[in-house]
Amino acid sequence: AAGGSGGARARGEASDRRSALLAGGGALLAAAAGARAPEAQAIGFKKELKKRRVPLSEYTQQPGFQWLGEPHEGLKVYDEVVGKGREAVEGANLTTHFEVYYRNVLVESSREGRLIGRNATLEEPLSFACGFVPPKYTVSAPVDYVVGVGLKLEEDLATGEKYALKVYFGSPAQQAGVPLNSRLAAVDGESVAGMSTERVGELLRGDGEEGGEVVLSMSVLGGEPIDYKLARASYAVPRARPPPPPQGANGLYNGEAGAQAPAALFLAVRGMREGGKRLVRVTPDVGYGPAGRGEIPAGESFSLKIELLKVSDA
C-alpha cells in the first residue's frame, strides 16, 4: 500500500539490476566475471568499455517549446550516428527502437519489449507520426493523496528483508533523500527482521495524522544503516489503472506490458535521418514524471537512445 508496504515478489533479474544501480553498474559486472569469457566475447566486451561517454557539454540544445502549458527550454541531444536516409519531418511515419539508461544501466528497451513464453523476449519497434505526442503524456494523470512517509516496500521472499521499491515524488522520504532500493533495517529503533509487511506498513503510517515523526534506518549494499528522521505528510500517489487484457494467440504472450517510451522520444526525433542514432538527456517533466518507472525513481533524469529505423510517407 502507498506509504506502507508493497507486495512481495521474487528477486531474479530485478535484484541484479538493484545491485547494479546501487553500485554504479560496473562493480556488479566485475564481480560476476568468475569464468573467463571466450576470446570473441572478451574482445567485444573490451570494445564496449572503450566507448567514450559523451559529456553533456557536447550535446546540442534544441529549440524551446511549450509543454503542458509551460515554456520548456528544449531538449539536449547528441547524434551518435547521423543517418543517410530520409529525414523525419512533420507528418512522416516513423519506426524507431529506443533504450532507456539510468546510471548507465539499461532499464527499458523496445528490443526486449515483451516477454513471450517463459524465457524469451519479443522486439517491439515503436511506430508513430512525426510531431504526434500521445495524449497520455499531455493530460495530467489522476492522483490520490495519502498521508505517510512515501515508501513502497518489496520483500525478498528468500530472506524476508524489505527494500524501498518506490520512493514517491514529493513525499517525506523523497525530500529526505531515502535511497531507492535501500534496505529497511528498523523503524524507530525496532528491527523489522522477521516482521510481516503488514506490521511494517502500520509502523510507517502511524496514526495516519500529518506531522507525526518516525525514524527509518536504511542500509545500502550491506553498509551500516543510516537514520532518516521523517515527519509524515500528505503526498500524491498516481491512481492505479486496471491491468491491460492478456494479449497474443494461444497463450504465446504472457500479457506483460511492453517497454514504455518517455514523452521525450516523440519530442526529440524530429530532424533525425533514417539510420541515425540519437542520445537524449531526459528531464523528469518529459520523462517518467512524478511516478517514476521501474528502477527510475520519481522525479529523476535519465538518458534515452533513439534509433530511427524507417521513414515513410503518411
Side-chain angles (χ1 to χ4, degrees), residues 262-298:
L265 184 148
F266 303 93
L267 300 167
V269 73
R270 190 191 304 269
M272 290 183 67
R273 289 187 174 274
E274 196 173 82
K277 296 181 180 180
R278 174 171 288 179
L279 302 178
V280 186
R281 184 59 177 167
V282 182
T283 50
D285 53 348
V286 290
Y288 294 121
R293 179 168 171 82
E295 289 85 357
I296 301 178

Side-chain angles (χ1 to χ4, degrees), residues 9 13-14 16-22 24-25 98-114 180-181 257-262 281-282 287-288 292-297 300-305:
R9 65 184 179 92
E13 293 181 1
D16 293 339
R17 289 199 297 270
R18 172 183 292 117
S19 298
L21 288 167
L22 290 171
F98 69 90
E99 296 175 342
V100 172
Y101 292 85
Y102 178 64
R103 296 185 180 177
N104 301 314
V105 177
L106 177 65
V107 296
E108 195 93 353
S109 172
S110 61
R111 296 188 185 279
E112 300 175 356
R114 188 178 300 276
L180 184 70
N181 298 312
Q260 179 178 309
R281 184 59 177 167
V282 182
Y288 294 121
R293 179 168 171 82
E295 289 85 357
I296 301 178
E300 286 286 326
S301 298
F302 55 88
S303 296
L304 170 68
K305 183 174 183 177

Side-chain angles (χ1 to χ4, degrees), residues 22-96:
L22 290 171
L28 180 64
L29 292 171
R36 184 176 182 272
E39 185 175 355
Q41 293 180 357
I43 291 173
F45 182 64
K46 288 177 182 176
K47 287 181 179 179
E48 288 296 319
L49 289 178
K50 289 180 180 178
K51 280 187 177 180
R52 186 174 70 92
R53 187 177 300 172
V54 182
L56 275 177
S57 59
E58 295 187 20
Y59 279 55
T60 299
Q61 182 81 47
Q62 291 190 321
F65 53 88
Q66 287 291 120
W67 182 247
L68 301 180
E70 299 289 338
H72 192 286
E73 65 178 0
L75 298 171
K76 291 182 173 65
V77 303
Y78 178 87
D79 286 321
E80 256 190 340
V81 176
V82 177
K84 299 183 181 301
R86 294 181 57 179
E87 183 178 356
V89 295
E90 184 82 18
N93 289 329
L94 311 179
T95 302
T96 65

Side-chain angles (χ1 to χ4, degrees), residues 194-268:
M195 190 179 294
S196 69
T197 53
E198 290 76 14
R199 176 56 182 159
V200 174
E202 291 173 359
L203 293 177
L204 295 181
R205 288 189 294 270
D207 58 9
E209 297 294 327
E210 292 193 59
E213 293 187 341
V214 61
V215 177
L216 308 185
S217 300
M218 310 295 298
S219 172
V220 177
L221 285 178
E224 287 296 317
I226 298 174
D227 288 344
Y228 294 86
K229 187 175 182 180
L230 311 177
R232 298 180 182 92
S234 176
Y235 60 94
V237 176
R239 190 169 298 165
R241 296 179 179 178
Q247 300 184 37
N250 299 321
L252 174 63
Y253 299 103
N254 70 355
E256 291 187 13
Q260 179 178 309
L265 184 148
F266 303 93
L267 300 167

